[in-house]
Every structure is written in structure tokens, then in C-alpha cells.
Amino acid sequence: MKAWRGVIEEYRDFLPVTDKTPIVTLFEGNTPLVPAPRLAEATDARMQIYLKCEGFNPTGSFKDRGMTVAISKALETGSRAVICASTGNTSASAAAFAARAGIRAFVMVPKGAVALGKLSQAAIHGAKVLMVDGNFDQALTIVRQIAERYPVTLVNSVNPFRLEGQKTGAFEVCDQLGRAPDYHLVPVGNAGNITAYWRGYREYHRAGRVKELPRMVGFQAAGAAPIYENRVIQEPRTVATAIKIGNPASWGPALEAMKDSRGWIDIVTDEEILRAYRLLAHEEGIFMEPASAATVAGLSKLIKAGRFEPGSTLVLTLTGHGLKDPDTALESASRPTTVPPRVDAVLAQLGL
Ligand code: F0G
């Protein structure tokens, strides 16, 4: 077996790089596609359900696929600094890849709405972290203006190289499954990933690597569902802070992806998200962050509603690792119990 070389080298033919592009990689990608038999049992045993566990990327989220391309291209054009707005994962990834490349990273996150793990990543990788007294959408507007006027490269998904890298998620699913699934489910925030996956499936299909194309199904949190509600949400609200976005940058392309693939978008409540989050951890042994659990919540909802053809193959992208957000994990689970250092006291607690 040959060693994995990172998504650019593995999928070079499909990516906008040349021999002159300095490749900045943390050997991202190659994440496991895990069958979810308990989830199938709990929902509909006739479905084949797979989880694309993107939390196992180097910085713990799918963002690394796009960031390796965005940072490599930034270096190629001589950029010495990158900037982004983020609900946390993009900033963690940008900070890590900028560190790897030896350039600066400036990141802007909404104050009080970023999970602890993500914030600590951006900090330890040496990014300049600004917490804005406002929301993600406002932060994105600011960094876009700055990147237009100053010599810093914007690495949000409005940078086209981000989505180019992220489409490799679809390539991997096809390579791992030996085909494209019938449905692909993703959480939707800024709407870049659903757009990138659809692009990836189409390109693989066009290249003759797969014969099928999936229907793309996106999920927004009920309190942050601009695409579903077809209006900008001024004050988005959800426990899934990663997708707490009211005016997604890739709104139009995401709508196209859904239309072209005959897919659709739906919403899930915070309660449904947290239930799915616990179920994944308890029943499948997979710890992903709340935004990722939105797809699992959506799966349960739509299977109940009979929205999927029986016998279908479904892939769910679990976008970020559970350790990103330890606070939500502790709030969602039973608290540890303090005991004195004695066997009898421990036994009393264990009920043995
Ligand atoms: N899941 C996680 C864990 C995310 O971090 C994000 C986006 C999404 C889903 C939604 O993906 O934006 O492509 O529709 N996080 C961005 C960030 C906004 O700043 O980290 P999307």
C-alpha cells in the first residue's frame, strides 16, 4: 500500500495546480467512510448508510481539503498573509496551513459563538485572532472589504480554490464506495460544501469514474435557515455554532446544486440536532460536533417522512470532530461523579 500524499497529489488531474505550485499539505483527506448499521436499524434497515468522517482530517474538519489548495495557490502568487471570517473551523484550518506555509493568518470570529477547541487551534497556530462583537455574516463582510484593498488573500469559500479542494470529498466517497451514492446529505452553513460535493460528483461522472450521480440533500438549523426560508436571517440562532449563518456566500450555487441533482434542503431543530449528536456517540461510537449531527437528525426526519427510495445508498458527511466543542459535549451528557479514593466508594457508584 502506498502512503497517502494529501488531496492535491492524489487528485492532481482534477485540481487547478501546476508544476510551479508550491504544495502546502498536512496530508489531509483519506478520511474513513464508516458504515452505520445501528443508525440504519434505528431508522430504516433497508437503507445502506455510510458516514464520511471528516473530523479525522488534520485540523479536525473538512476545511483542510479546501485550505491545502487555497494556501498553495496563495503562496504561488506570492501572498504573505491570509484572512478569513469563521464560525471556527475555517479559522483553525487557515491558521494551521498558514503556519505550515510560513505566512501570516488573520482570523475574525463571532464573539461568544465559537467552540472552544476551534478557538484554541487558531491561537496555538499563531494566527491573529479577532473576536467581533457581531455575527459571522458581519465578519465576512469586513474581511471581504479588507482583502479587496490590502495585500492579504481571502481564504473563505468565496475564494474559488477552497471549493476546488473540497470537491475531493466526493471523489473519495466514490473511490471508497466503488460508486456514487443515491443521496448525499450535508449540513449547510455558508453553503460552500454542498456546492463543492456536487461539483466533485459531476466531474467524476464526466471523467467516467462513476456511472451514477447522487441527489444532494442539505440541512440547515431551524433558527439559521436562510436558504430554506428564502430570506436573509439577521440574527441566526442555533446550538450548532458552525452553521450559525444568516446570509450564506454560496447561496446561489447551493440552490443550483440542489436543482441540478434533484435534491432539496430541509431544516432540523436544535433538539433534533442534540438528540442525533448523542445517538451518534452512544450508538455508533462516533463523536462529531453538533453541526455534523444535523445530517443525522435530518436523516431520521426524512426517513420517517418516507423521502428516500427504499434500498438506497446514503452518505452523510460528518463535517467536524466532537472534540472541537467540549462544552456542548459536557452539557449533553451525564456529569462525571467525584469519589473518594476507596474501592468501596467506587463500587457503590458502579452498582456492581
Ligand atoms: N459543518 C461544520 C463543522 C462547519 O464548520 C461548517 C462551516 C459547515 C458544516 C457548513 O459548511 O459553510 O460549506 O455550508 N463552517 C464555516 C467556518 C462557516 O467558518 O468554519 P458550509
Side-chain angles (χ1 to χ4, degrees):
M1 205 187 81
K2 71 179 170 51
W4 182 260
R5 297 166 296 166
V7 300
I8 295 182
E9 291 302 351
E10 296 292 332
Y11 296 109
R12 190 175 259 277
D13 294 350
F14 292 89
L15 293 170
V17 292
T18 67
D19 293 347
K20 294 196 185 59
T21 314
I23 306 300
V24 183
T25 182
L26 287 165
F27 300 84
E28 61 296 314
N30 199 24
T31 57
L33 184 70
V34 181
R38 295 257 172 76
L39 205 52
E41 255 169 53
T43 48
D44 185 337
R46 292 165 302 172
M47 306 282 181
Q48 301 280 326
I49 299 173
Y50 294 90
L51 307 173
K52 182 65 171 157
C53 295
E54 290 289 277
F56 299 133
N57 271 298
T59 77
S61 86
F62 71 97
K63 305 287 180 182
D64 295 341
R65 295 180 184 280
M67 209 53 77
T68 180
V69 181
I71 299 283
S72 298
K73 294 301 283 186
L75 267 198
E76 186 178 352
T77 55
S79 178
R80 301 304 306 158
V82 295
I83 192 167
C84 67
S86 182
T87 56
N89 281 323
T90 298
S91 57
S93 188
F97 279 86
R100 186 87 175 170
I103 62 177
R104 296 206 68 190
F106 305 112
V107 310
M108 262 187 104
V109 297
K111 187 165 182 219
V114 178
L116 187 65
K118 304 174 188 182
L119 203 55
S120 60
Q121 287 177 289
I124 196 70
H125 287 302
K128 173 76 183 170
V129 182
L130 299 179
M131 297 221 262
V132 63
D133 229 341
N135 61 32
F136 168 84
D137 303 291
Q138 292 167 310
L140 183 58
T141 304
I142 294 170
V143 297
R144 285 177 98 147
Q145 286 173 16
I146 292 172
E148 262 169 35
R149 286 186 222 141
Y150 296 89
V152 290
T153 304
L154 185 65
V155 292
N156 279 104
S157 56
V158 289
N159 175 328
F161 300 124
R162 279 277 313 281
L163 297 194
E164 284 297 300
Q166 279 173 217
K167 75 188 180 190
T168 62
F171 299 163
E172 276 181 29
V173 168
C174 296
D175 291 342
Q176 290 168 316
L177 212 51
R179 52 164 291 189
D182 299 307
Y183 299 89
H184 190 118
L185 283 59
V186 276
V188 173
N190 218 17
N193 212 28
I194 192 166
T195 307
Y197 263 102
W198 177 238
R199 188 185 296 174
Y201 281 123
R202 268 191 4 237
E203 289 185 13
Y204 238 38
H205 184 257
R206 203 177 309 130
R209 304 285 181 103
V210 285
K211 292 198 284 292
E212 321 76 11
L213 280 171
R215 296 172 76 163
M216 299 301 305
V217 184
F219 296 98
Q220 296 192 302
I227 301 180
Y228 181 83
E229 292 186 18
N230 194 27
R231 66 184 177 99
V232 171
I233 307 293
Q234 297 298 346
E235 286 186 30
R237 279 178 225 280
T238 170
V239 65
T241 51
I243 53 171
K244 192 173 165 188
I245 293 176
N247 188 10
S250 296
W251 193 323
L255 280 179
E256 259 171 53
M258 282 179 278
K259 196 162 131 259
D260 287 357
S261 73
R262 298 183 302 122
W264 67 93
I265 191 148
D266 207 330
I267 48 169
V268 284
T269 64
D270 278 6
E271 205 186 334
E272 289 169 324
I273 290 173
L274 290 175
R275 200 182 311 131
Y277 171 70
R278 285 189 295 263
L279 178 103
L280 254 186
H282 283 200
E283 308 275 322
E284 297 286 8
I286 294 177
F287 183 28
M288 292 291 150
E289 65 171 287
S292 303
T295 52
V296 178
L299 172 81
S300 307
K301 180 179 171 183
L302 295 184
I303 281 185
K304 265 189 219 134
R307 290 293 300 268
F308 304 116
E309 287 287 322
S312 296
T313 300
L314 276 61
V315 170
L316 281 63
T317 301
L318 301 185
T319 44
H321 201 284
L323 286 172
K324 294 270 190 179
D325 190 353
D327 295 317
T328 304
L330 285 172
E331 282 159 23
S332 306
S334 55
R335 291 269 162 180
T337 309
T338 304
V339 287
R342 287 194 332 264
V343 172
D344 62 327
V346 173
L347 281 174
Q349 288 296 334
L350 299 183
L352 290 173

